Amino acid sequence: MPRYLSMIRIDENNAPEGGPSAELMQRMGELIEEMTKAGVLLDTAGLTPTAEGTRVHYEGGRLSVTDGPFTETKEVIGGYAMLQARDKAEAVEWTKRFLRVHEEHWTVTCEVREVVEG
């Protein structure tokens, strides 16, 4: 069965102060449990803010290293989910369910892409 990476994109400059509510975390936990029992969710996690990140860039044979935050970036990867699904449509459906557990004041985009195998 193919694997899909759902990259969770947020604008960390406009994310709700205080992060996810207790209710959101509960709904998310319930969905994660359902996805795990269904054998769809292989791994998931949130990521630290860009202020704690480092970019390593390669261009023209040269490497550069830049510490965060990356203020010029509008959207950042705030987390991910690795899914194993029958097809892309199923992976997208699970991703839609993930987005629906959020309250209306959240703005979240997920990019779903198939993992290229071996």
Side-chain angles (χ1 to χ4, degrees), residues 78-93:
Y80 70 92
M82 180 64 73
L83 310 173
Q84 186 168 340
R86 288 184 308 273
D87 53 30
K88 187 176 181 181
E90 182 184 17
V92 168
E93 194 55 43

Side-chain angles (χ1 to χ4, degrees), residues 6-75:
S6 180
M7 294 172 279
I8 303 158
R9 295 181 179 275
I10 62 167
D11 178 349
E12 64 183 2
N13 296 318
N14 292 320
E17 194 170 316
S21 66
E23 295 82 11
L24 171 55
M25 293 305 294
Q26 180 178 343
R27 289 190 304 273
M28 200 175 299
E30 291 167 359
L31 180 60
I32 287 171
E33 184 176 337
E34 181 183 351
M35 293 173 76
T36 301
K37 285 180 181 177
V40 174
L41 185 64
L42 301 177
D43 190 28
T44 188
L47 301 175
T48 59
T50 61
E52 299 174 32
T54 300
R55 284 187 179 160
V56 181
H57 181 76
Y58 180 78
E59 183 176 3
R62 297 179 55 171
L63 286 170
S64 64
V65 178
T66 307
D67 290 328
F70 311 115
T71 55
E72 75 282 357
T73 303
K74 174 96 172 126
E75 284 188 334

Side-chain angles (χ1 to χ4, degrees), residues 2-5 83-96 111-114:
R3 294 182 303 152
Y4 297 87
L5 180 63
L83 310 173
Q84 186 168 340
R86 288 184 308 273
D87 53 30
K88 187 176 181 181
E90 182 184 17
V92 168
E93 194 55 43
W94 282 108
T95 298
K96 288 161 71 175
E111 181 180 335
V112 179
R113 296 175 54 190
E114 186 171 353

